Amino acid sequence: MSRKVTILGAGLVGSLLAIILRKRGYEVTIYERRPDMRSASISAGKSINLAMSARGWKALDLAGLRSEIESLAIPMYGRYLHQPDGNTAFQPYSKNNEAIYSVSRGELNKKLMTLAEKNGVIIEFEHRCTEVHVENNHVHFHHNHKEKMVEADLLFGADGAFSALRKSYTHMDRVNCSQMYLEYGYKELAILPGKNGEWLMEKNALHIWPRGKYMMIALPNIDGTFTCTMFMPFEGEVSFEKLKTEKMLRSFLISSLPMPKR
């Protein structure tokens, strides 16, 4: 009888791991805090598009997903630098026309979850892990306003930045831990397509607006949009705390992060 595997988190790592383990004969159940993003009207959360290279394609080969994801991937042959004066400069990644690929994190996650279920993985949504007794792999969840306990043979934590499993380890005897916070954060923005659905910038490039202590990047999507990520200090002269209104944000974007002239 094969051992049962329990995975916390149905994100990219948890879903991919579930597929690989299921193909090796394990019984696999994933517990995910959020509702099913494939059917619920929810955001996939803040998302930096994947800029996928050979390692990413190798992982998709293991899951048997390469052919499906290739239709969603856009090759980026270099970086497009956007200067403060509005001028641009293209820097190719190689002399051999090699590329990294822009892939929507949300769309890839949906496909991985679907493939996991097709392979026999059980995904339990809206199960928030509250505590793990590491000594005996007893996992406690909050689901439908009730408490639930699961006993796992093998337990893998793929539950992200605020991992309940990692936190539970810090409560064990003779464990020292520390936590440090970065002074920088990020916000997700979007550049919408033109009137005819076309990309408003070069689609086969990773766009960067470098500005010293802050920057923005933009990666293309197949629907003509760009997923942008603005990195900036939380506090300071130029920071998120200074951008308190929509008017202030709009003025900042126009003056500091100009779009290319068409």
Side-chain angles (χ1 to χ4, degrees):
M1 181 175 179
S2 63
R3 301 179 74 183
K4 296 181 180 179
V5 172
T6 300
I7 298 176
L8 300 180
L12 299 180
V13 172
S15 296
L16 178 62
L17 176 61
I19 294 168
I20 294 171
L21 291 175
R22 184 71 189 113
K23 288 185 174 182
R24 295 185 178 181
Y26 290 90
E27 295 182 43
V28 183
T29 302
I30 305 176
Y31 292 91
E32 167 59 36
R33 176 180 61 86
R34 292 162 58 86
D36 188 345
M37 68 170 66
R38 296 167 296 178
S39 56
S41 298
I42 60 171
S43 165
K46 291 194 296 183
S47 165
I48 301 175
N49 273 33
L50 294 179
M52 201 160 61
S53 60
R55 287 184 301 170
W57 289 116
K58 182 177 180 180
L60 293 180
D61 283 333
L62 289 173
L65 259 185
R66 175 186 280 265
S67 59
E68 287 193 56
I69 300 305
E70 281 179 335
S71 64
L72 301 176
I74 298 177
M76 299 182 294
Y77 298 101
R79 61 178 69 90
Y80 235 106
L81 298 179
H82 295 259
Q83 307 299 345
D85 61 4
N87 290 322
T88 61
F90 180 73
Q91 298 177 341
Y93 286 130
S94 80
K95 296 180 180 179
N96 303 317
N97 210 34
E98 295 173 324
I100 57 177
Y101 291 80
S102 174
V103 178
S104 166
R105 188 181 297 263
E107 292 304 314
L108 176 57
N109 204 160
K110 293 175 185 178
K111 286 187 176 292
L112 283 172
M113 288 192 295
T114 298
L115 183 63
E117 289 177 333
K118 286 182 179 179
N119 278 275
V121 174
I122 297 172
I123 305 179
E124 299 281 6
F125 294 98
E126 298 184 74
H127 279 68
R128 180 172 62 86
C129 181
T130 57
E131 184 182 11
V132 179
H133 292 168
V134 179
E135 298 88 347
N136 51 23
N137 277 1
H138 286 181
V139 190
H140 294 260
F141 297 97
H142 185 78
H143 175 62
N144 283 341
H145 307 290
K146 296 179 181 179
E147 300 303 317
K148 176 179 178 180
M149 193 275 285
V150 172
E151 185 173 355
D153 291 336
L154 295 173
L155 177 63
F156 292 87
D159 47 345
F162 300 101
S163 168
L165 177 57
R166 182 170 60 246
K167 182 179 179 181
S168 295
Y169 269 105
T170 68
H171 294 163
M172 297 180 68
D173 290 340
R174 303 181 64 82
V175 172
N176 295 322
C177 70
S178 62
Q179 183 169 323
M180 296 175 289
Y181 291 92
L182 297 175
E183 298 177 357
Y184 289 77
Y186 70 93
K187 299 291 184 182
E188 182 181 326
L189 304 171
I191 297 176
L192 301 181
K195 293 181 179 179
N196 298 318
E198 74 275 12
W199 287 273
L200 294 180
M201 302 185 295
E202 169 56 51
K203 74 169 185 175
N204 294 118
L206 192 159
H207 295 264
I208 305 177
W209 289 259
R211 298 295 185 267
K213 290 187 176 181
Y214 67 96
M215 65 176 290
M216 186 172 79
I217 63 173
L219 279 74
N221 299 305
I222 58 173
D223 61 359
T225 64
F226 286 86
T227 297
C228 306
T229 310
M230 186 165 69
F231 302 91
M232 184 179 287
F234 289 113
E235 301 173 340
E237 183 178 349
V238 181
S239 64
F240 285 122
E241 72 169 353
K242 297 293 185 180
L243 303 175
K244 297 181 178 180
T245 66
E246 182 179 342
K247 182 178 179 180
M248 295 171 67
L249 175 60
R250 186 179 297 275
S251 175
F252 172 79
L253 292 174
I254 291 174
S255 62
S256 302
L257 304 168
M259 295 295 106
K261 300 178 178 63
R262 297 289 289 184

